[in-house]
Coordinates of all heavy atoms in Angstrom, one line a residue:
M1 N 0.8 -1.2 0.0 CA 0.0 0.0 0.0 C 0.9 1.3 0.0 O 1.9 1.3 0.7 CB -0.9 0.0 1.2 CG -1.7 1.2 1.5 SD -2.8 1.0 2.9 CE -3.9 -0.3 2.3
Q2 N 0.6 2.2 -0.8 CA 1.3 3.4 -0.9 C 1.0 4.3 0.4 O -0.1 4.4 0.8 CB 1.0 4.2 -2.1 CG 1.8 5.5 -2.3 CD 1.5 6.2 -3.6 OE1 0.5 5.9 -4.2 NE2 2.3 7.2 -4.0
T3 N 2.1 4.8 0.9 CA 1.9 5.8 2.0 C 2.5 7.1 1.7 O 3.3 7.2 0.8 CB 2.6 5.2 3.3 OG1 4.0 5.0 3.1 CG2 2.0 3.8 3.7
T4 N 2.1 8.1 2.5 CA 2.6 9.5 2.2 C 3.1 10.2 3.5 O 2.8 11.4 3.7 CB 1.5 10.3 1.6 OG1 0.3 10.4 2.5 CG2 1.0 9.8 0.2
F5 N 3.7 9.4 4.3 CA 4.3 10.0 5.5 C 5.4 11.1 5.1 O 6.1 10.8 4.2 CB 4.9 9.0 6.4 CG 3.9 8.1 7.1 CD1 3.7 6.8 6.7 CD2 3.2 8.5 8.2 CE1 2.8 6.0 7.3 CE2 2.3 7.7 8.8 CZ 2.1 6.4 8.4
T6 N 5.5 12.1 5.9 CA 6.6 13.1 5.6 C 7.9 12.5 6.2 O 7.9 11.6 7.1 CB 6.2 14.4 6.2 OG1 6.2 14.3 7.7 CG2 4.9 15.0 5.8
A7 N 9.0 13.1 5.8 CA 10.3 12.7 6.3 C 10.3 13.0 7.8 O 10.9 12.3 8.6 CB 11.4 13.5 5.6
E8 N 9.7 14.1 8.2 CA 9.6 14.5 9.7 C 8.9 13.4 10.4 O 9.3 13.0 11.5 CB 8.9 15.8 9.8 CG 9.0 16.4 11.2 CD 10.4 16.7 11.6 OE1 11.3 17.0 10.8 OE2 10.7 16.7 12.8
Q9 N 7.7 12.9 9.9 CA 7.0 11.9 10.6 C 7.8 10.6 10.7 O 7.7 9.9 11.7 CB 5.6 11.6 9.8 CG 4.6 12.7 9.9 CD 3.4 12.4 9.0 OE1 3.5 12.1 7.8 NE2 2.2 12.4 9.6
L10 N 8.6 10.3 9.7 CA 9.3 9.0 9.7 C 10.5 9.0 10.6 O 11.1 8.0 10.8 CB 9.7 8.6 8.2 CG 8.6 8.3 7.3 CD1 9.1 8.1 5.9 CD2 7.8 7.1 7.8
K11 N 10.8 10.2 11.2 CA 11.9 10.2 12.2 C 11.4 9.5 13.5 O 12.3 9.1 14.3 CB 12.3 11.7 12.5 CG 13.0 12.3 11.4 CD 13.4 13.7 11.8 CE 14.1 14.5 10.6 NZ 14.3 15.9 10.9
D12 N 10.1 9.4 13.7 CA 9.6 8.7 14.9 C 9.6 7.3 14.6 O 9.1 6.7 13.6 CB 8.1 9.1 15.1 CG 7.4 8.3 16.2 OD1 8.1 8.3 17.3 OD2 6.4 7.7 15.9
P13 N 10.3 6.5 15.5 CA 10.5 5.0 15.2 C 9.2 4.2 15.1 O 9.1 3.4 14.2 CB 11.3 4.5 16.4 CG 12.0 5.8 16.9 CD 11.1 6.9 16.6
A14 N 8.2 4.6 15.9 CA 6.9 3.9 15.8 C 6.2 4.2 14.5 O 5.6 3.3 13.8 CB 6.0 4.3 17.0
T15 N 6.3 5.4 14.0 CA 5.7 5.8 12.7 C 6.5 5.1 11.6 O 5.9 4.6 10.6 CB 5.7 7.3 12.5 OG1 5.0 7.9 13.6 CG2 5.1 7.7 11.2
A16 N 7.8 5.0 11.7 CA 8.6 4.4 10.7 C 8.2 2.9 10.6 O 8.1 2.3 9.5 CB 10.1 4.5 11.0
R17 N 8.0 2.3 11.7 CA 7.6 0.8 11.7 C 6.2 0.7 11.2 O 6.0 -0.3 10.4 CB 7.7 0.3 13.1 CG 7.3 -1.1 13.3 CD 8.3 -2.0 12.5 NE 7.9 -3.5 12.6 CZ 7.8 -4.3 11.6 NH1 8.2 -3.8 10.3 NH2 7.4 -5.5 11.7
S18 N 5.3 1.6 11.5 CA 4.0 1.5 11.0 C 4.0 1.6 9.5 O 3.3 0.9 8.8 CB 3.1 2.6 11.6 OG 3.0 2.5 13.0
N19 N 4.8 2.5 9.0 CA 5.0 2.7 7.5 C 5.4 1.4 6.9 O 4.9 1.0 5.8 CB 6.0 3.8 7.3 CG 6.2 4.1 5.8 OD1 5.2 4.3 5.1 ND2 7.4 4.1 5.3
E20 N 6.4 0.7 7.5 CA 6.9 -0.6 6.9 C 5.7 -1.6 6.8 O 5.5 -2.3 5.9 CB 8.0 -1.1 7.8 CG 9.3 -0.4 7.7 CD 10.3 -0.9 8.7 OE1 10.0 -1.9 9.5 OE2 11.4 -0.3 8.8
I21 N 4.9 -1.6 8.0 CA 3.8 -2.6 8.0 C 2.7 -2.2 7.0 O 2.3 -3.1 6.3 CB 3.3 -2.7 9.4 CG1 4.3 -3.2 10.4 CG2 2.0 -3.5 9.5 CD1 4.0 -3.1 11.8
L22 N 2.4 -1.0 6.9 CA 1.3 -0.6 6.0 C 1.7 -0.9 4.5 O 0.9 -1.4 3.7 CB 1.1 0.9 6.1 CG 0.4 1.4 7.4 CD1 0.5 2.9 7.6 CD2 -1.1 1.0 7.3
R23 N 3.0 -0.8 4.2 CA 3.4 -1.0 2.9 C 3.5 -2.5 2.5 O 3.7 -2.8 1.3 CB 4.8 -0.4 2.6 CG 4.7 1.1 2.5 CD 6.1 1.8 2.4 NE 6.0 3.2 2.0 CZ 6.0 3.6 0.7 NH1 6.2 2.7 -0.3 NH2 5.8 4.9 0.4
T24 N 3.3 -3.4 3.5 CA 3.3 -4.8 3.1 C 2.0 -5.2 2.5 O 1.9 -6.3 1.9 CB 3.6 -5.7 4.3 OG1 2.6 -5.5 5.3 CG2 5.0 -5.4 4.9
C25 N 0.9 -4.4 2.7 CA -0.4 -4.8 2.0 C -0.3 -4.6 0.5 O 0.0 -3.5 0.1 CB -1.6 -4.0 2.6 SG -3.1 -4.3 1.8
V26 N -0.5 -5.7 -0.2 CA -0.3 -5.6 -1.7 C -1.7 -5.6 -2.4 O -1.7 -5.9 -3.6 CB 0.6 -6.8 -2.1 CG1 2.0 -6.6 -1.6 CG2 0.0 -8.1 -1.7
H27 N -2.7 -5.3 -1.7 CA -4.1 -5.3 -2.3 C -4.5 -6.6 -2.9 O -5.3 -6.6 -3.9 CB -4.2 -4.2 -3.3 CG -3.8 -2.8 -2.8 ND1 -4.8 -1.8 -2.5 CD2 -2.7 -2.2 -2.4 CE1 -4.2 -0.8 -2.1 NE2 -2.9 -1.0 -2.0
C28 N -4.1 -7.7 -2.4 CA -4.4 -8.9 -3.0 C -5.9 -9.4 -2.8 O -6.4 -10.1 -3.6 CB -3.5 -10.1 -2.5 SG -3.6 -10.5 -0.8
G29 N -6.4 -8.9 -1.7 CA -7.8 -9.3 -1.4 C -8.0 -10.6 -0.7 O -9.2 -11.0 -0.5
F30 N -7.0 -11.3 -0.5 CA -7.2 -12.7 0.1 C -7.9 -12.6 1.5 O -8.5 -13.5 1.9 CB -5.9 -13.4 0.2 CG -5.3 -13.9 -1.1 CD1 -3.9 -14.0 -1.3 CD2 -6.1 -14.1 -2.2 CE1 -3.4 -14.4 -2.5 CE2 -5.6 -14.4 -3.5 CZ -4.2 -14.6 -3.6
C31 N -7.7 -11.5 2.2 CA -8.2 -11.4 3.6 C -9.7 -11.4 3.6 O -10.3 -11.8 4.6 CB -7.6 -10.1 4.2 SG -7.7 -8.6 3.2
T32 N -10.3 -11.0 2.5 CA -11.8 -10.9 2.6 C -12.4 -12.2 2.8 O -13.5 -12.4 3.4 CB -12.3 -10.2 1.3 OG1 -11.9 -10.9 0.2 CG2 -11.9 -8.8 1.2
A33 N -11.8 -13.3 2.3 CA -12.4 -14.7 2.3 C -12.5 -15.2 3.8 O -13.3 -16.0 4.0 CB -11.6 -15.6 1.5
T34 N -11.7 -14.7 4.6 CA -11.6 -15.2 6.0 C -12.0 -14.1 7.0 O -11.9 -14.4 8.2 CB -10.2 -15.8 6.4 OG1 -9.3 -14.8 6.2 CG2 -9.9 -17.0 5.5
C35 N -12.4 -12.9 6.6 CA -12.7 -11.8 7.5 C -14.2 -11.9 7.9 O -15.1 -11.8 7.1 CB -12.4 -10.5 6.9 SG -12.9 -9.1 7.9
P36 N -14.5 -12.1 9.2 CA -15.9 -12.3 9.7 C -16.7 -11.0 9.3 O -17.9 -11.1 8.9 CB -15.8 -12.5 11.2 CG -14.4 -13.0 11.4 CD -13.5 -12.4 10.3
T37 N -16.2 -9.9 9.6 CA -17.0 -8.6 9.4 C -17.3 -8.4 7.9 O -18.4 -8.0 7.5 CB -16.4 -7.4 10.0 OG1 -15.1 -7.3 9.5 CG2 -16.4 -7.4 11.5
Y38 N -16.4 -8.8 7.0 CA -16.6 -8.7 5.6 C -17.6 -9.7 5.2 O -18.5 -9.4 4.3 CB -15.3 -8.9 4.8 CG -15.5 -8.8 3.3 CD1 -15.7 -7.6 2.7 CD2 -15.7 -9.9 2.5 CE1 -15.9 -7.4 1.3 CE2 -15.9 -9.9 1.2 CZ -16.0 -8.6 0.6 OH -16.3 -8.5 -0.8
Q39 N -17.6 -10.9 5.7 CA -18.5 -11.9 5.4 C -20.0 -11.5 5.7 O -20.9 -11.8 5.0 CB -18.2 -13.2 6.1 CG -16.9 -13.8 5.7 CD -16.8 -14.2 4.2 OE1 -17.8 -14.9 3.7 NE2 -15.8 -13.8 3.5
V40 N -20.1 -10.8 6.9 CA -21.4 -10.4 7.2 C -21.9 -9.1 6.5 O -23.1 -9.1 6.1 CB -21.5 -10.1 8.8 CG1 -22.7 -9.5 9.2 CG2 -21.2 -11.4 9.6
L41 N -21.0 -8.2 6.4 CA -21.4 -6.8 5.9 C -21.2 -6.7 4.4 O -21.9 -5.8 3.7 CB -20.7 -5.7 6.6 CG -21.0 -5.7 8.1 CD1 -20.0 -4.7 8.9 CD2 -22.4 -5.4 8.4
G42 N -20.3 -7.5 3.8 CA -20.1 -7.4 2.3 C -19.5 -6.1 1.9 O -19.5 -5.7 0.7
D43 N -18.9 -5.4 2.8 CA -18.2 -4.0 2.4 C -16.8 -4.1 2.7 O -16.3 -4.5 3.8 CB -18.9 -2.9 3.3 CG -18.4 -1.6 2.9 OD1 -17.4 -1.4 2.2 OD2 -19.0 -0.6 3.4
E44 N -16.0 -3.8 1.7 CA -14.5 -4.0 1.8 C -14.0 -3.0 2.9 O -12.9 -3.3 3.4 CB -13.8 -3.7 0.5 CG -12.4 -4.3 0.5 CD -11.8 -4.4 -0.9 OE1 -12.5 -4.8 -1.8 OE2 -10.6 -4.1 -1.0
L45 N -14.6 -2.0 3.2 CA -14.2 -1.1 4.2 C -14.2 -1.8 5.6 O -13.5 -1.4 6.5 CB -15.0 0.2 4.3 CG -14.9 1.1 3.1 CD1 -15.9 2.3 3.3 CD2 -13.5 1.6 3.0
D46 N -15.0 -2.8 5.7 CA -15.1 -3.7 6.9 C -14.3 -4.9 6.7 O -14.7 -6.0 7.3 CB -16.6 -4.0 7.2 CG -17.3 -2.8 7.6 OD1 -16.9 -2.1 8.6 OD2 -18.3 -2.5 7.0
S47 N -13.2 -4.9 6.1 CA -12.2 -6.0 5.9 C -10.9 -5.5 6.5 O -10.7 -4.3 6.7 CB -12.1 -6.3 4.4 OG -11.3 -5.4 3.8
P48 N -9.9 -6.4 6.6 CA -8.6 -6.0 7.0 C -8.0 -4.9 6.2 O -7.5 -3.9 6.7 CB -7.8 -7.3 6.9 CG -8.8 -8.4 7.1 CD -10.1 -7.9 6.5
R49 N -8.2 -5.0 4.9 CA -7.7 -3.9 4.0 C -8.3 -2.5 4.3 O -7.7 -1.5 4.3 CB -7.8 -4.3 2.6 CG -7.1 -3.3 1.6 CD -6.9 -3.8 0.2 NE -8.1 -4.5 -0.3 CZ -8.1 -5.0 -1.6 NH1 -7.1 -4.8 -2.3 NH2 -9.2 -5.6 -2.0
G50 N -9.6 -2.5 4.6 CA -10.3 -1.3 5.0 C -9.8 -0.8 6.3 O -9.7 0.5 6.4
R51 N -9.5 -1.6 7.2 CA -9.0 -1.2 8.5 C -7.6 -0.7 8.3 O -7.2 0.3 9.0 CB -9.1 -2.3 9.5 CG -10.5 -2.5 10.0 CD -10.6 -3.5 11.1 NE -10.6 -4.9 10.6 CZ -11.8 -5.5 10.2 NH1 -12.9 -4.9 10.2 NH2 -11.7 -6.7 9.7
I52 N -6.8 -1.2 7.4 CA -5.5 -0.7 7.1 C -5.6 0.7 6.6 O -4.8 1.6 7.0 CB -4.7 -1.7 6.2 CG1 -4.3 -3.0 6.9 CG2 -3.4 -1.0 5.7 CD1 -3.8 -4.1 5.9
Y53 N -6.5 0.9 5.7 CA -6.6 2.3 5.2 C -7.0 3.2 6.3 O -6.5 4.4 6.3 CB -7.8 2.3 4.1 CG -7.3 2.1 2.7 CD1 -7.6 0.9 2.0 CD2 -6.5 3.0 2.0 CE1 -7.2 0.6 0.7 CE2 -6.0 2.7 0.7 CZ -6.4 1.6 0.1 OH -6.0 1.3 -1.2
L54 N -7.9 2.8 7.2 CA -8.3 3.7 8.3 C -7.1 4.1 9.1 O -6.9 5.2 9.5 CB -9.4 3.0 9.1 CG -9.8 3.6 10.4 CD1 -10.6 5.0 10.0 CD2 -10.8 2.7 11.2
I55 N -6.3 3.1 9.5 CA -5.1 3.3 10.4 C -4.2 4.2 9.6 O -3.6 5.2 10.2 CB -4.5 2.0 10.8 CG1 -5.5 1.2 11.7 CG2 -3.2 2.3 11.6 CD1 -5.9 1.8 12.9
K56 N -3.9 4.0 8.4 CA -3.0 4.8 7.6 C -3.5 6.2 7.6 O -2.7 7.1 7.8 CB -3.0 4.2 6.1 CG -2.2 5.1 5.1 CD -2.3 4.4 3.8 CE -2.8 5.3 2.7 NZ -1.9 6.5 2.4
D57 N -4.8 6.5 7.4 CA -5.2 7.9 7.4 C -5.1 8.5 8.8 O -4.7 9.7 8.8 CB -6.7 7.9 7.0 CG -7.2 9.3 6.8 OD1 -6.6 10.1 6.2 OD2 -8.4 9.5 7.3
M58 N -5.3 7.8 9.8 CA -5.2 8.3 11.1 C -3.7 8.7 11.4 O -3.4 9.8 11.9 CB -5.6 7.3 12.1 CG -7.1 7.0 12.2 SD -7.6 5.6 13.1 CE -7.1 6.1 14.7
L59 N -2.8 7.8 11.1 CA -1.4 8.1 11.4 C -0.8 9.2 10.5 O -0.1 10.0 10.9 CB -0.6 6.7 11.2 CG -0.9 5.6 12.2 CD1 -0.1 4.4 11.8 CD2 -0.5 6.1 13.6
E60 N -1.2 9.2 9.2 CA -0.6 10.2 8.3 C -1.1 11.6 8.6 O -0.4 12.5 8.5 CB -1.0 9.8 6.8 CG -0.1 8.7 6.3 CD -0.5 8.4 4.9 OE1 -1.6 8.7 4.4 OE2 0.3 7.7 4.2
N61 N -2.4 11.6 9.1 CA -3.0 13.0 9.2 C -3.2 13.3 10.7 O -3.8 14.4 11.0 CB -4.3 13.0 8.5 CG -4.1 12.8 7.0 OD1 -3.4 13.6 6.4 ND2 -4.7 11.8 6.5
G62 N -2.7 12.5 11.6 CA -2.8 12.7 13.0 C -4.2 13.0 13.5 O -4.4 14.0 14.3
R63 N -5.1 12.2 13.1 CA -6.5 12.4 13.6 C -7.1 11.2 14.0 O -6.7 10.1 13.7 CB -7.4 13.1 12.4 CG -7.5 12.2 11.2 CD -8.3 12.9 10.1 NE -8.7 12.0 9.1 CZ -9.8 11.3 9.1 NH1 -10.6 11.3 10.1 NH2 -10.1 10.6 8.1
P64 N -8.3 11.3 14.8 CA -8.9 10.1 15.4 C -9.7 9.4 14.3 O -9.9 9.9 13.2 CB -9.8 10.7 16.4 CG -10.1 12.1 16.0 CD -8.8 12.5 15.4
A65 N -10.1 8.2 14.6 CA -10.9 7.4 13.6 C -12.3 8.1 13.4 O -12.8 8.7 14.3 CB -11.2 6.0 14.1
D66 N -12.9 8.0 12.2 CA -14.2 8.4 12.0 C -15.2 7.3 12.6 O -14.9 6.2 12.6 CB -14.5 8.4 10.5 CG -13.7 9.5 9.8 OD1 -13.4 10.5 10.4 OD2 -13.4 9.3 8.6
W67 N -16.3 7.8 13.1 CA -17.3 6.9 13.6 C -18.5 6.9 12.7 O -18.8 8.0 12.1 CB -17.7 7.3 15.0 CG -16.6 7.1 15.9 CD1 -15.7 8.1 16.4 CD2 -16.2 5.9 16.6 NE1 -14.8 7.6 17.2 CE2 -15.1 6.2 17.4 CE3 -16.7 4.6 16.5 CZ2 -14.4 5.3 18.2 CZ3 -16.0 3.7 17.4 CH2 -14.9 4.0 18.1
P68 N -19.2 5.8 12.5 CA -20.4 5.8 11.7 C -21.4 6.9 12.2 O -21.5 7.0 13.4 CB -21.0 4.4 11.9 CG -19.8 3.6 12.4 CD -18.9 4.5 13.1
A69 N -22.1 7.5 11.3 CA -23.1 8.5 11.7 C -24.3 7.8 12.3 O -24.6 6.7 12.1 CB -23.5 9.3 10.4
Ligands
LIG101 S1 -4.3 -7.1 4.2 FE1 -5.6 -8.3 2.7 S2 -5.2 -7.2 0.8 FE2 -3.6 -6.6 2.1 S3 -1.9 -8.1 1.7 FE3 -3.1 -8.8 3.4 S4 -4.5 -10.3 2.5 FE4 -3.8 -8.9 0.9

């Protein structure tokens, strides 16, 4: 997965490690077959890949998670 952390953000070891982990997702989609929430809801945002996007956005932009309306 492409990330857009700044050089300043990557100076933080925890952020640098998060960046490494986020970049290991290759968008293969294999996780949907075994993800319970995806099986029930049928929405990719409720799959591991969707949660990875959520965490990436939180870390890159320094903001809390969105909550359903
Ligand atoms: S999180 Fe899902 S889409 Fe990303 S690499 Fe793992 S199995 Fe593939």
Side-chain angles (χ1 to χ4, degrees):
M1 174 175 296
Q2 184 177 13
T3 59
T4 58
F5 290 103
T6 65
E8 190 67 27
Q9 287 174 307
L10 292 174
K11 288 180 182 174
D12 173 53
T15 302
R17 180 64 182 131
S18 296
N19 183 52
E20 290 172 2
I21 294 169
L22 289 165
R23 285 176 167 268
T24 63
C25 177
V26 294
H27 301 256
C28 67
F30 290 154
C31 49
T32 57
T34 56
C35 176
T37 53
Y38 179 78
Q39 295 299 310
V40 170
L41 300 171
D43 184 344
E44 196 165 322
L45 292 176
D46 290 304
S47 74
R49 187 164 45 175
R51 286 184 278 276
I52 289 170
Y53 271 112
L54 175 66
I55 298 298
K56 171 181 131 61
D57 186 45
M58 291 169 60
L59 293 174
E60 285 179 340
N61 298 301
R63 64 183 190 85
D66 293 331
W67 293 95

